[in-house]
Amino acid sequence: MPTISCSERDLLALIGEELDRDRLLSLLPLAKASFDGEEDGKLRIELQDTNRPDLWSCEGIARQIRARLRGALPAYPFFRARPPRAGGRIEVDAGLAAIRPIVGAFIARGVRVDEATLVQIIQTQEKLCEGYGHKRREAAMGVYDASAIAFPVRYRAARPEEARFVPLGFEEPMTLEEILREHPKGREYRRLVEACPRYPLLEDAAGTVLSFPPIINSRALGEVAVGDDNLFVEVTGHDLQVVALVLNIMACNFADRGWKIVPITAVYPYDTAAGREVTIPMDIACTLEVPLAGINQALGLTLAGKEVRELLRAYGVAAQLKPRGIVRATAPAYRADYMHPADVIEDIAICRGYDGFAPLMPAAFTVGGLAPSTLFADRVRQELVGYGFQEVFSNVLMSREEARTRLRIDAPLVEIENYVADTYAVVRDRLLVSLLRVEAASTKAQYPHQIFEVGEVAVYDEAAVHGSRTEDRAAALMASGEAGFSDMHSYLDALMYFLARDYRLESRDAPFAIEGRAAVVRVGDKEVGVIAELHPEVLTAWGLEAPAAYFEINLSALA
Amino acid sequence: MDIETLARGLHPLEIRVLRACPERGEAEEKQVRSEAGLEEGQFRRAVQWLLSKEIVAVVREEVVETIRLTELGKAFAAKGTPEMQLLARAAAMPGLTVPECTAGFDLPEEEVRAAFGKLRKLDALRIAGGGVELNQGADIGPFERVSALIARLAGQAGAALAALPADEQETVRSLVHKRMRAKGVFYLERATNLVFALTAAGAEVRAKAFALGLRGEEVSRLTPEMLRDGSWRGKTFRKYSVDFAPPRRVLARRHPYREFLDFVKSKLTSMGFVEMRGPLVECEFWNMDALFMPQFHAAREIHDAYFVKAPTHAARLEPDFLAQVAAAHENGGESGGRGWRYTFDRERTRRLVLRTQGTALSARQLGLGALVPGRYFAMARCFRPDTVDATHACDFFQCEGIALGEEINFRTLLGLLALFATEVAKAEEVKFVPAYFPFTEPSVEAHIRHPRLGWIELGGAGIFRPEVTYPLGVKAPVLAWGLGLDRMAMVALKINDIRELFSRDLDALRTRRLELELY
């Protein structure tokens, strides 16, 4: 979830009303935002909705609150503006179709950039491109001083060793290849382009490089400073919807601060989702038709059509009432999250305020209960506590060394490919390991030790659909100067008696047991467990100071 | 406690000590003990008890030093000290060479050599011309005195050092730590001899005990023999001091965190929820795809799920809803929505992961056929790649569930959460704020005012998107919820480190208790 910081003053100025702190915080839920404290005199605000990038900025939060306070739709005339005359254009090369096909841009002018705005531009750019744009893969943004650019701008596919320019942060011209190799941003993002034979490049009509998208801007044009009042904002990516959404959000953010937005048209030699001439900002608004009855049923209310229309409007959504009780809701062009009527219904609920709903107890009668496997497992737990065994409860992730080497076992088990620490790298396939982990940490605890665990293990099994079986197991271990096979045999015998299972032991050595002091437990023709006196080498490997014997039963096979 | 209660509560050993105590004045430990006829251990225990009850008080502690002969000392006593033997040999056979003179004693060689050296140094023996000679004029008094002292001590078990004349005391001290000798001739044992006296209250207790006829012969333990032969009749049983701290016993108990989870489970079943169970190793299909999390979703990247190394993919999907779920992602399918609009990866959906959320079980339940109306819950072990510390676990429990029914709507969703808040979390107040989950719309987060923790998040919930339910064949509204229990569990267990929920320390497990009234 993105977290942004913004100044309270700036936020209130954008909302356009003087609100005290409590009132301001009480309005944050409208933007699925929560106050996360203050830092350096700024508010830290966490945004919940990963599908609403328009809210990930001071301007976006203010916009959502402003709509509610004014009950009116914000006006962004540029979404319906006519394409500009030739000049403010981007010409796209055919070669980009297979590399990074989409580019879009607009110009914002008329206000001077101040320090606060600059910080917000950079923050929003980072949230949109790193978060929503999947680390620049789907959206990479450049902001430039438009006054220095000679239009039309050209978006072309350049050979890695051919094009040269001075990237931000460096003094000398470098080829695109050198940038990927030596520039910190080049190293960070090169995976996005290095597989391509040619790289994307933005140049102006005079041949001056704007940037090497999605890597780095040029020093010549790609550096915005306080005082600039004419900005060129450009985004490249793969999906026109995403590129347009990001630019629409940026355009609205500038407009909210009083900037005038001038659209730019990109001209493609290939087809895009919106044809070969695409003007940005672009109206990508999505309209959904929702029956009023469905809204009321989902919310448990009896709202009139007009109330729904007003609530949607106060949430920034244009709504029309159609015949036969249909509500036509059109999301604003800075949102792309309308996928289903349910999304419209949530907007109505949020705008109305969750605290305005009276909770209602579901009245239907249902019979509750634990799963049969849990009931059986709980029975076994009760038995073992009664026999004098202390219950333990463990993590099921552990190191391979614990689950294998220290038990002298070498069978496959469920391993994690992308583990973070090798102490949490495999899933236990027997409870013995968990019991030994307790013993290893408890050599100072008064003996005798009698411990048990009932819990899940994942047993590697190539024949199983998921390559493993999850089993409920019960295992008990005794450690003391006198502990031995026959002690645990007595407890196993009692357990099987009270569970009413006829069992027999069949002598079979186990790698972790003393030779001749291990057996498998059989019920009918099924092997359901193991009983063993642990081998001194195993005890030593675990750093244990007392002899130990144990049994382990597969409850899933026994139930 | 009053005098009579104290008197009646006296242990027979205590009474025997009191009987041996003088009524007034000081009592010396050793004397009292021999008079009471008690073994040292019994006696010391009884005195400790009397001291703790302030029936007697310590007047002072005397250090008593007792001398005993060591093994070497005993050998000297039997055969004479090496000094005296050397003097005797030199007198009887003058002119022996040094080796001749020192050989043949049944004593450690180094003792004999040391004795010879000492005698030469004091000029009692001289080496002149042919050999060793006795100096008749030398003072051999000290050697004779040591020899006599050793002989005297040989007859006794030990002697009080203080009882010896001053010069002998000095001799003993010098021979205890004698250099060059592996073992000294004497042991010096230091023991403290307690000198105590009855306190004023103690004198009354003693008098009372005697007046009550307590003789220290009351029956302490009722034995099976006494029951069998009836010999308990006519006997008095000693009265116990019932407020003595009992010894700690090592007992077997349920694990306190499981006890907490058991409690929550019992609450949920009492509210009509049926438990769901499922595999630890899950495929992305049930873990994410069936929940309408797009395959490009940020929460599906490498750092948000543990991927299984081998086999990497499920052999097949069971039950098989692939076509329906893929359609929901691509174009909404029959759900009435337009979908995420991308090409669903039918290979990736079988990718195996360790279950990251309990909601996977809810999805499975819908696919397997859930009752309408119906309520389900799971206490599911889940996994997320995380660096483990006091507040982060990579292997933890989630409590999640669903409720199905034609009556399910946004208000009944809040109603059920309010019920959880009072029943499970004992909250005094609950408030609801908008939230986001990819699989629910509307979504809500419930915050509760906890009596100890203040406002905390109880959990998230929402109504499953039709893109989740329709592909799995469920047309009725489904409410999905998840509760965050760990903080409440930690309060009830009085721990601050999340790792201690799964503590491996047996001592901690044996003593940690669950205080359900705390959370």
Side-chain angles (χ1 to χ4, degrees), chain A residues 80-157:
Chain A
R80 279 163 201 84
R82 296 231 227 119
R85 288 168 288 109
R89 291 163 79 96
I90 302 175
E91 288 165 2
V92 183
D93 262 16
L96 280 153
I99 300 173
R100 193 170 176 85
I102 306 296
V103 64
F106 64 82
I107 285 174
R109 61 168 64 126
V111 179
R112 287 195 184 282
V113 173
D114 59 15
E115 194 66 47
T117 310
L118 192 58
V119 169
Q120 283 295 317
I121 292 173
I122 293 166
Q123 174 171 275
T124 309
Q125 175 181 13
E126 195 238 311
K127 299 294 168 192
L128 291 177
C129 299
E130 299 300 316
Y132 191 73
H134 289 266
K135 297 199 167 42
R136 298 192 186 178
R137 189 179 72 225
E138 297 299 326
M141 188 186 300
V143 183
Y144 316 81
D145 178 6
S147 323
I149 298 173
F151 286 90
V153 166
R154 192 161 165 236
Y155 183 43
R156 71 178 181 97

Side-chain angles (χ1 to χ4, degrees), chain A residues 370-552:
Chain A
L370 295 176
S373 58
T374 301
L375 288 171
F376 188 59
D378 284 352
R379 246 183 98 192
V380 172
R381 290 170 59 206
Q382 290 204 4
E383 288 293 325
L384 290 170
V385 167
Y387 302 170
F389 286 78
Q390 167 66 46
E391 182 172 38
V392 304
F393 196 29
S394 311
N395 287 111
V396 305
L397 297 185
M398 51 192 52
S399 70
R400 203 193 141 81
E401 201 245 330
E402 291 170 299
R404 283 293 171 266
T405 322
R406 282 198 225 167
L407 292 182
R408 313 199 298 177
I409 301 179
D410 191 28
L413 79 173
V414 176
E415 294 187 64
I416 297 169
E417 188 171 274
N418 56 324
Y419 60 82
V420 180
D422 58 12
T423 42
Y424 300 93
V426 305
V427 185
R428 71 178 176 192
D429 65 348
R430 66 193 72 221
L431 296 179
L432 174 59
V433 203
S434 296
L435 299 182
L436 287 172
R437 276 158 70 109
V438 171
E439 281 302 314
S442 307
T443 52
K444 299 276 181 292
Q446 189 186 329
Y447 286 91
H449 293 178
Q450 299 198 139
I451 57 172
F452 83 96
E453 179 160 359
V454 170
E456 292 170 309
V457 302
V459 181
Y460 186 88
D461 179 359
E462 272 181 348
V465 175
H466 286 187
S468 61
R469 286 175 279 115
T470 298
E471 291 177 357
D472 279 342
R473 296 272 186 98
L477 178 142
M478 187 174 179
S480 78
E482 288 84 41
F485 185 91
S486 70
D487 296 298
M488 292 315 293
H489 192 182
S490 310
Y491 287 118
L492 175 66
D493 198 63
L495 180 63
M496 296 307 248
Y497 172 79
F498 288 110
L499 294 176
R501 299 296 194 280
D502 282 327
Y503 79 102
R504 63 178 199 280
L505 297 188
E506 196 176 283
S507 174
R508 188 190 297 169
D509 283 337
F512 46 79
I514 295 176
E515 289 75 15
R517 297 189 187 180
V520 293
V521 184
R522 279 185 170 279
V523 169
D525 58 355
K526 271 193 287 191
E527 270 182 27
V528 300
V530 58
I531 175 167
E533 199 169 303
L534 300 183
H535 197 282
E537 211 170 275
V538 172
L539 298 176
T540 306
W542 282 91
L544 304 192
E545 294 167 1
Y550 112 111
F551 68 72
E552 178 158 354

Side-chain angles (χ1 to χ4, degrees), chain A residues 48 134 298 338 340 343 346 354 358 364 369 371 374 381 391 396 415 417-418 437 446 454 466 472, chain B residues 255 258 262 272 275 277 281 296 302 305 307 309 315 335 338 395 407 410-411 441 443 445 465 504 510:
Chain A
Q48 283 245 339
H134 289 266
Y338 264 21
H340 191 280
D343 298 301
E346 188 186 70
Y354 280 11
T374 301
R381 290 170 59 206
E391 182 172 38
V396 305
E415 294 187 64
E417 188 171 274
N418 56 324
R437 276 158 70 109
Q446 189 186 329
V454 170
H466 286 187
D472 279 342
Chain B
H255 189 281
R258 272 205 104 156
D262 287 348
E275 191 190 13
R277 310 245 0 232
V281 175
F296 58 79
I302 195 82
F307 292 89
K309 199 168 179 180
S335 69
R338 62 184 173 89
D395 161 350
E407 62 171 343
F410 190 62
R411 285 175 63 200
E441 193 85 7
S443 306
E445 223 169 57
R465 300 185 67 99
R504 301 181 207 167
R510 281 169 170 174

Side-chain angles (χ1 to χ4, degrees), chain A residues 67-269:
Chain A
R68 180 74 180 81
L69 294 180
R70 297 187 184 164
L73 294 176
Y76 296 110
F78 46 82
F79 285 117
R80 279 163 201 84
R82 296 231 227 119
R85 288 168 288 109
R89 291 163 79 96
I90 302 175
E91 288 165 2
V92 183
D93 262 16
L96 280 153
I99 300 173
R100 193 170 176 85
I102 306 296
V103 64
F106 64 82
I107 285 174
R109 61 168 64 126
V111 179
R112 287 195 184 282
V113 173
D114 59 15
E115 194 66 47
T117 310
L118 192 58
V119 169
Q120 283 295 317
I121 292 173
I122 293 166
Q123 174 171 275
T124 309
Q125 175 181 13
E126 195 238 311
K127 299 294 168 192
L128 291 177
C129 299
E130 299 300 316
Y132 191 73
H134 289 266
K135 297 199 167 42
R136 298 192 186 178
R137 189 179 72 225
E138 297 299 326
M141 188 186 300
V143 183
Y144 316 81
D145 178 6
S147 323
I149 298 173
F151 286 90
V153 166
R154 192 161 165 236
Y155 183 43
R156 71 178 181 97
R159 287 207 310 278
E161 70 290 351
E162 159 230 348
R164 289 164 64 84
F165 69 98
V166 183
L168 281 181
F170 277 66
E171 305 287 334
E172 299 296 318
M174 299 164 84
T175 65
L176 305 187
E177 199 177 28
E178 285 165 348
I179 289 171
L180 291 195
R181 206 169 49 229
E182 287 159 35
H183 198 284
K185 294 290 173 191
R187 286 200 293 272
E188 192 177 346
Y189 296 103
R190 67 182 166 206
R191 69 197 147 76
L192 296 173
V193 294
E194 64 190 351
C196 302
R198 291 176 184 231
Y199 298 157
L201 195 69
L202 273 172
E203 287 172 348
D204 76 354
T208 312
V209 173
L210 277 77
S211 67
F212 169 15
I215 312 294
I216 187 77
N217 282 5
S218 76
R219 233 180 104 156
L221 296 174
E223 208 164 16
V224 176
V226 169
D228 289 351
D229 61 354
N230 188 14
L231 303 179
F232 178 75
V233 181
E234 146 277 320
V235 172
T236 57
H238 296 272
D239 181 339
L240 181 58
Q241 282 287 325
V242 175
V243 169
L245 177 68
V246 169
L247 283 163
N248 287 354
I249 291 169
M250 288 302 288
C252 293
N253 286 2
F254 276 108
D256 286 350
R257 291 184 182 276
W259 296 66
K260 178 175 162 34
I261 305 301
V262 182
I264 299 277
T265 302
V267 182
Y268 296 87

